[in-house]
Amino acid sequence: MSDVTRILFAIEHGDAQAVDKLLPVVYDELRLLAAQKLSQERPGQTLQATALVHEAYIRLVGSEGQNWNGRGHFFAAAAEAMRRILIDNARRKQRQKHGGDHQRVGLDDADIAIEEPSTNLIVLDEALTKLANEDRVVADLVKMRYFAGLTLGQAAEIIGVSRRTADRYWAYARAWLYQEITKSEKPPSQ
Amino acid sequence: MNEEPKDIKSIFAEAIEKKSSKERAAFLDKACGADGDLRSKVEDLLRAHSQAGDFLEEPPIGSIVTLGDPHLTEGPGTIISRYKLLEQIGEGGMAVVYMAEQKEPIRRKVALKVIKLGMDTKQVIARFEAERQALAMMDHPNIAKVLDAGATETGRPYFVMELVKGVSITEYCDKNKLNTRERLDLFMQVCNAVQHAHQKGIIHRDIKPSNVMVTLLDGQPVTKVIDFGIAKATSLELTEKTLFTRYAQMIGTPEYMSPEQAEMCGLDVDTRTDIYSLGVLLYQLLTGALPFDPEMLRASGYAEIRRTIVEDEPPRPSTRLSSLGEEAKKVAESRGTKIALLVARLRKELEWIPLKAIRKDRTRRYRSAAEMSDDVQNYLNGAPLIAGPESTLYRLKKSIHRNRALVISIFSILAVLLAGIVVSMVFAVRAERQARISQAVSDFLRNDLLGSADPWSGRTEGATVVSFLDAASKRLEGKFADEPLIEASIRYTFGSTYHHLGRYSEAENHLRRCLEIRRDRLGNEDFETLNCMRELGWVYRELGNNKQAEMLLVEALEGMRRTLDKEHDALLSCMGWRAGLYFDQGRYDEAERLYAEGLEVIQRKLGAEHSWAAVYMHWIGVVYQNQRRFDEAEKLLTEALDIRRRTNGDLDSETLYIIHDLGLLYSDQERYEDAERLLAEALEGRRKVVGEGHPETLRLMGTLGRLYRRQGKLDQAEQLLSECYRKSREVLGEEHPTTSDLIPDLAVLYYRQGKIDEMAALTDNVVEVVRSGLLDESLNPMMLHMIHSLGMWYLHIGREVEAETLLGKALEVRRRMLGEEHPDTQASVGMDYFRRGQYDKAEPLLIKALEDERRKEGQEVPPLISIYNLALVHHRQGDYDKAEPLLVEVVELSEGVLIEGHPDTVAAMNELIKLYEAWEKPQKAQEWRSKLPRKKGTEEQ
């Protein structure tokens, strides 16, 4: 049994601390996987979060856990991990843009470059943190849907709500976050 | 702010589902009631909702994460430790290589390789340091030294190596169109380098073309193996965490990775992993392709890649090459050769070298790189190879292990086949037929059964089954000492299988012992005993022991007649074999009687139109043919052919045999057009069904070639017969009867064409064999006749040494074997006098011999030389009037038989001219002189 499987079992069996152990492992693996995936490809090649997360799952847990409940924890952790990876990158880029740390990017700052996203990730993340304080479950759903690329159906299953509820949560979260971001950046034009 | 989050969520959710703003307002009035704060919050959200567009709908990564410049911090000009990067000279999935300048302690250019992949740099360097001393001890002209290692400022490991300016070995070979030999020479250098490293305890672990460079030294290509020690340093311990790394690395070059490496029980990799990679490299050098199609490998997932490497047998290089289609042409071109030649070279042993190196089981690979290099040298020297096909037993074991169901089905087919043989043997009534069946059975076993189970099926005829039987036979000894009857039936099975594979002495051994046991335990009249007796009888016939054969077949037939039903298959079969023996002995009446008896049973039991009836009719027809009862033969054969075409189709093997025999019959009747049509049909059919190089196709080519020759279509005949001879030698070998039977055929053809040198090239061997005395034991009157005639030919063309050997041998053996008074002996004595110039003594004997020769029917070439010789004898004695008509006869007879201007015709004409001159008939002499083919001037003296 792999480390991750063991942790997932522990979570399943109510070991709350195990959740804390899961995230770093998933985070490391996803980073490494992303970095290696990308270094295998020619510049300009793209990579899908969904594929990355699923591959990480297969590697870490194995295919035998395909229909197993514990995987919800894994994907939750993966979504959080992906969020951190992407936000870290966005932060680093921002630093570079401001003429800041022009020095080497060590291995720990993987060689992932993110093209100018349509959404300012850092601002989004701040808003998301606020939302999480207000409504943890809705924020988790956003992480899964947005950062880990899961479908709403998959996310619903993991969170343990109906698909219809997930749709509603998602609509709510989008409106909430949009409002929050537009409020902080500039007053909405209308 | 968050007093009522749940409410706000559901109010919002319900609100957005309202169709109109009116409805929505009404809903909000109701839901929020007096709570204005809540109401405004919801309205803010609803506004945001309507403005958000596709906000967050597009994932942040997907199209937006791209590969950043992975080496943005290092580049030309960067200084890493003592090295200054000059230019990038290579980049792979795992690393970037720069040309760099070292300033101290010495100034030189080096190659500096920076590892791109994320890994624990400290560990990498520690591992490198651990091997550093061993690496430093490597000193070989074909190894690029690894000089240094360290970490860049960005924390990546780097390695410094001797700079090799060159291209990868595959690129070099293809660009320069190196032929196989040159490629093998380079490859041996690689083996030597790897051997050196192995002796120093260094395993490369990542041998592939891009790590084997070719550089020119004084214009000579020299290979350099680079990256020794790097793969080991950079390979991580197998933990769950590092699986990705391994996976990612593996994605780099799985094609060259040994099964044990792919299985990633990484602790246990030894020098044999390099042997595997060398094997793949050689495979690629020879065929231009990899054992496993890289595209297919990459298209599959990681687990599938691993499974392929660990389990799948790679195709043989020759097969792989053939599967390349158009690409193969290019491959051959870049090796300065043709596809067919390349395939033939691979088939002829070369491919066993890479195949041995890439065996899954590493204990079955070459034990060292040096051994592999030696084997390449063996190939170049034409010496026997260490490598060879996997033994059948080993392969069977392995495929049993791999695919139980398949193997079980193979054995059940084998069992059915063995049962089927008994039935099919009903029809096996003479040697040729027997050979045909053996061939068919062995082909079937080899190609259809074992061949399909294993792409590495044996090289020689029936090898797979035979070697399986050989191994099994050995283990049979003494195993069933307490169960003699079981032993007997196993021996019967083995014996009859050997029989049908043409391994007669092995068959005899098993069947004889089976018969001993059964006679002892079951008595002489038991069915099993009789069956074995019958089988053994026919085996003795194959071995040329006709006495034993007859004894057993007679005993078996009588026993079966007494104990079996008249219609029993075994009895029918036994009758067929007994008849076949009569046929061999020329006892046609008795053969016919037995066949007819069998036919009658079949017709009664199965119907007159049954396909078996056709077979019996066929053989009776052949008996008639041999008795020169042509009309009856034709009637039977035509009828048999009709039935068989109807029941089994035009391409059925037996149908083709009937067509073949009917063609021969027409040929005997000098109905050449009919004969040609049928034989051409049979040949076409054979080519379609069994292919160009099959013995049966070759036999038909021979028959049709002879027919052309008989018709005087000498060019067509030569084309077919010489091609047939060439192929037969290639496919069946020099010794095979089909090959050796072609020699007299071609000889007669060349004789008629006046191609003396070509003919002598064929017959000189015969002289050698006769001189050696090896044949003395087995000479028979027929062969003596051939030796005698050939001796006359050699004498005729003035090669007296050979003539003396042949004529002398014929005389000696005829005297001993046939006695002084026998006409053949007398003919030999006559030639002996003739050779010594004792014409008076020769005369009566040659007259008598010529009379005998003239009486022979169906001769394609009249006895021109005998007539000519006798004319000479008369001429030399002054009997011009007796010589004259003989010489004229030679000229007349040769027309249409020999080509125009044949030396023998010319010789007879010249002899005539001389005769007329001596006879003082200058007018006649002049007349003949004018008939001489053009080059009169030289002939006139």
Side-chain angles (χ1 to χ4, degrees), chain B residues 840-874:
Chain B
D840 53 335
K841 289 185 178 157
E843 190 180 296
L845 297 172
L846 292 189
I847 290 173
K848 178 73 181 35
L850 182 57
E851 275 169 18
D852 289 345
E853 275 196 84
R854 284 184 196 275
R855 266 203 296 276
K856 285 200 179 113
E857 270 180 73
Q859 291 187 96
E860 181 179 315
V861 181
L864 296 172
I865 296 178
S866 299
I867 303 171
Y868 180 80
N869 285 348
L870 184 58
L872 281 189
V873 167
H874 290 315

Side-chain angles (χ1 to χ4, degrees), chain B residues 31-207:
Chain B
C32 299
D35 192 339
D37 191 31
L38 177 64
R39 170 99 187 216
S40 78
K41 269 187 203 160
V42 173
E43 280 179 341
D44 282 350
L45 283 174
L46 288 170
R47 200 176 307 119
H49 176 74
S50 66
Q51 287 170 357
D54 64 353
F55 174 69
L56 294 189
E57 293 291 358
E58 289 297 312
I61 57 171
S63 56
I64 57 166
V65 175
T66 59
L67 179 63
D69 186 1
H71 34 83
L72 68 159
T73 51
E74 287 102 17
T78 307
I79 292 180
I80 299 175
S81 179
R82 292 173 289 177
Y83 311 97
K84 182 181 179 188
L85 302 188
L86 297 178
E87 57 179 298
Q88 184 180 324
I89 53 177
E91 179 171 2
M94 205 181 114
V96 193
V97 187
Y98 296 93
M99 187 198 291
E101 190 176 39
Q102 182 183 355
K103 292 242 165 74
E104 36 146 26
I106 42 163
R107 205 184 174 93
R108 62 177 169 185
K109 286 191 180 144
V110 295
L112 193 146
K113 181 171 201 163
V114 181
I115 307 298
K116 282 201 295 201
L117 289 180
M119 49 181 63
D120 187 334
T121 305
K122 267 184 213 147
Q123 263 197 46
V124 168
I125 293 168
R127 263 194 300 264
F128 179 80
E129 290 299 331
E131 234 187 356
R132 190 172 198 139
Q133 274 208 304
L135 286 170
M137 274 159 53
M138 284 199 307
D139 184 17
H140 193 276
N142 302 115
I143 293 178
K145 281 197 154 190
V146 180
L147 307 164
D148 196 7
T152 67
E153 282 187 23
T154 61
R156 293 179 195 169
Y158 70 87
F159 298 90
V160 182
M161 274 178 295
E162 185 187 327
L163 180 66
V164 178
K165 287 180 184 163
V167 296
S168 77
I169 185 168
T170 42
E171 191 183 341
Y172 178 85
C173 288
D174 288 350
K175 263 196 182 150
N176 295 284
K177 300 196 171 187
L178 295 199
N179 62 31
T180 302
R181 200 201 157 91
E182 292 162 329
R183 282 163 193 255
L184 291 175
D185 282 340
L186 282 182
F187 180 75
M188 282 193 289
Q189 290 182 13
V190 182
C191 287
N192 296 340
V194 173
Q195 173 72 12
H196 177 83
H198 286 177
Q199 280 172 339
K200 304 289 178 196
I202 306 280
I203 307 166
H204 193 294
R205 292 162 184 254
D206 194 19
I207 294 173

Side-chain angles (χ1 to χ4, degrees), chain A residues 2 28-29 32 36 38-49 55 59 82 86 104-107 111-115 117 119 121 124 134-135 138 145-147 164 168-172 174-179 181 190, chain B residues 1-2 5 8-9 12-14 16-17 41 44-45 48-49 51-68 70 73 93 116-119 121 153-156 240-241 243-245 247-248 251 302:
Chain A
S2 72
D28 283 355
E29 302 300 358
L32 202 56
Q36 277 155 19
L38 290 169
S39 65
Q40 299 298 324
E41 309 282 353
R42 267 165 273 117
Q45 287 278 342
T46 62
L47 163 83
Q48 292 212 317
E55 189 163 349
R59 307 284 160 236
M82 281 307 293
L86 292 165
R104 58 197 161 91
V105 181
L107 274 174
D111 307 316
I112 303 173
I114 299 173
E115 273 177 16
T119 307
L121 284 181
L124 172 68
E134 200 169 288
D135 193 327
V138 171
R145 169 80 172 91
Y146 185 64
F147 290 108
R164 188 175 144 81
R168 289 173 158 200
Y169 282 9
W170 175 243
Y172 174 75
R174 278 181 69 226
W176 199 98
L177 289 167
Y178 187 79
Q179 188 198 23
I181 288 168
Q190 285 100 332
Chain B
M1 200 180 176
N2 48 355
I8 196 171
K9 252 191 304 183
F12 168 79
E14 273 189 60
I16 58 172
E17 277 160 21
K41 269 187 203 160
D44 282 350
L45 283 174
H49 176 74
Q51 287 170 357
D54 64 353
F55 174 69
L56 294 189
E57 293 291 358
E58 289 297 312
I61 57 171
S63 56
I64 57 166
V65 175
T66 59
L67 179 63
T73 51
K116 282 201 295 201
L117 289 180
M119 49 181 63
T121 305
E153 282 187 23
T154 61
R156 293 179 195 169
E240 291 299 331
K241 271 193 85 172
L243 250 170
F244 301 152
T245 319
Y247 175 59
I251 288 289
Y302 158 73

Side-chain angles (χ1 to χ4, degrees), chain B residues 431-494:
Chain B
E432 203 184 352
R433 177 71 177 139
Q434 181 60 35
R436 291 165 178 176
I437 286 179
S438 309
Q439 182 64 40
V441 170
S442 97
D443 281 353
F444 178 60
L445 290 176
R446 191 181 67 214
N447 301 332
D448 297 345
L449 292 181
L450 295 165
S452 63
D454 193 322
W456 293 4
S457 58
R459 284 174 294 181
T460 49
E461 200 174 311
T464 48
V465 185
V466 167
S467 43
F468 171 69
L469 286 174
D470 286 349
S473 296
K474 266 186 217 138
R475 294 197 305 191
L476 186 59
E477 289 301 329
K479 203 162 186 184
F480 294 98
D482 303 331
E483 300 275 8
L485 282 178
I486 292 181
E487 180 178 338
S489 29
I490 293 174
R491 286 194 187 282
Y492 180 78
T493 307
F494 283 11

Side-chain angles (χ1 to χ4, degrees), chain B residues 335-355:
Chain B
R335 283 156 183 75
T337 182
K338 298 253 162 59
I339 303 168
L341 275 175
L342 192 52
V343 169
R345 203 174 294 138
L346 289 170
R347 287 250 165 83
K348 211 136 188 237
E349 310 231 301
L350 182 52
E351 66 187 0
W352 296 111
I353 299 177
L355 285 177

